[in-house]
Amino acid sequence: MDAYQRSEDINLAVAQLPCTLGNKAENIGKMKHVLENQVADLYIFPELFLTGYLIRDEIFRLSETLDGPSFQAITALAKQHQANILFGAPVLEETAGLIKNSALIAYADGSIDKYDKIHPANFGPFEEGLYFTPGEDLKIIEVNGYRFGLLICYDLFFSELSRSYALQGVDGLICLSASPITSRSSFETVLPARAVENALYVVYANQVGSQSNQLFFGGSEVRDPSGTALVKNAYFNSEVASASLSKSKLANARRMRPTVRDFFSL
């Protein structure tokens, strides 16, 4: 085992790339390119990256069950590169015929798991309520000894979800997003707040580029437990950012501001 693997840190690659609307094979190819050109413990791609966000009625053709061919291709990619890949996609529940807006984790051992968005956005330009059934349960994933709670876009605005994860002892939150330029100030306000109020890392992977009548701003970032930005991707451009998270920094932040401990004194 080399020094990179022995480190207590975990290395993330936050991929902010324009996905090709409705072309799953091409988007998997973009994921493959990132894995071949950047070393990380966990590769993170935005909400609905596999299909694109504004696919509307095409979702009925493009969604797949967990054993579908696109997910098999991504799990094979994870196993081939001994990598862990987190990405967004529509998932069809075969028994009920329901479609979920999901964050999927393809592990290096070839297994796969998912989180279903609890709060689909259905206001203003967003029409998720027409297509997606809300999820019901939180999901914690573990990669290289780090535990992350998963959120998708609008979920971030419900502070009780983040606090619930914090009370379960996660090291960070990862939020996959498809946020247009009109929502930029809102996200950039709430991201550091979630980090500070829960004394944990917050990772945000947002779509970038134009889809139909929406412009996604990018601006993917990683916040440390003090709310400080460790890395931030450029607005409107393709970019893969690298960030390293530290257990010792996390422990120190929790000593300095023990919000989770003090929650139990309420």
Side-chain angles (χ1 to χ4, degrees):
M1 184 176 289
D2 60 24
Y4 168 77
Q5 293 173 307
R6 286 196 303 268
S7 172
E8 69 146 8
D9 295 354
I10 184 172
N11 295 279
L12 311 180
V14 184
Q16 178 179 290
L17 309 172
C19 57
T20 303
L21 201 62
N23 192 327
K24 293 185 284 187
E26 190 167 325
N27 294 327
I28 292 171
K30 294 178 182 182
M31 297 168 74
K32 182 175 184 289
H33 180 78
V34 172
L35 266 67
E36 290 174 343
N37 288 276
Q38 190 145 346
V39 176
D41 299 306
L42 178 61
Y43 297 83
I44 304 170
F45 298 85
E47 177 183 12
L48 294 174
F49 182 81
L50 180 63
T51 59
Y53 182 77
L54 285 169
I55 52 175
R56 295 196 166 93
D57 288 348
E58 283 291 282
I59 195 169
F60 301 109
R61 178 179 65 86
L62 294 169
S63 59
E64 299 180 21
T65 58
L66 269 185
D67 60 354
S70 296
F71 300 142
Q72 288 183 8
I74 294 169
T75 54
L77 191 63
K79 195 169 184 179
Q80 175 190 349
H81 289 269
Q82 282 299 283
N84 303 283
I85 308 170
L86 182 64
F87 64 100
V91 176
L92 175 66
E93 293 188 352
E94 191 168 19
T95 53
L98 305 176
I99 300 173
K100 304 290 184 68
N101 181 345
S102 301
L104 297 101
I105 174 76
Y107 288 106
D109 64 4
S111 62
I112 192 166
D113 204 353
K114 72 181 178 76
Y115 162 75
D116 301 321
K117 188 174 185 177
I118 292 175
H119 295 287
N122 201 47
F123 58 90
F126 307 107
E127 301 175 335
E128 293 176 37
L130 298 178
Y131 304 104
F132 296 111
T133 299
E136 297 178 351
D137 300 315
L138 300 176
K139 172 62 68 175
I140 296 173
I141 63 171
E142 185 168 343
V143 178
N144 288 27
Y146 281 73
R147 300 172 74 241
F148 296 102
L150 300 184
L151 300 167
I152 301 177
C153 207
Y154 191 39
D155 286 336
L156 191 69
F157 291 87
F158 296 85
S159 59
E160 65 274 13
L161 298 183
S162 298
R163 177 51 55 90
S164 294
Y165 279 129
L167 294 175
Q168 294 182 63
V170 300
D171 302 301
L173 306 172
I174 302 178
C175 181
L176 309 188
S177 187
S179 177
I181 182 61
T182 51
S183 297
R184 188 175 88 184
S185 62
S186 296
F187 275 93
E188 294 187 339
T189 299
V190 79
L191 283 161
R194 294 292 169 267
V196 171
E197 68 192 8
N198 295 298
L200 41 65
Y201 289 99
V202 175
V203 182
Y204 177 68
N206 191 29
Q207 290 236 18
V208 70
S210 297
Q211 294 178 30
S212 186
N213 61 344
Q214 293 295 324
L215 177 62
F216 298 95
F217 70 89
S220 303
E221 59 182 65
V222 179
R223 297 274 174 170
D224 73 9
S226 73
T228 302
L230 296 179
V231 294
K232 186 176 181 68
N233 283 350
Y235 297 129
F236 311 117
N237 290 332
S238 299
E239 191 172 359
V240 182
S242 296
S244 181
L245 312 188
S246 165
K247 289 272 194 180
S248 58
K249 186 173 186 177
L250 183 64
N252 185 60
R254 289 172 172 171
R255 286 193 295 268
M256 296 295 292
R257 192 176 300 275
T259 54
V260 174
R261 183 201 69 185
D262 292 343
F263 174 85
F264 292 101
S265 66
L266 294 176

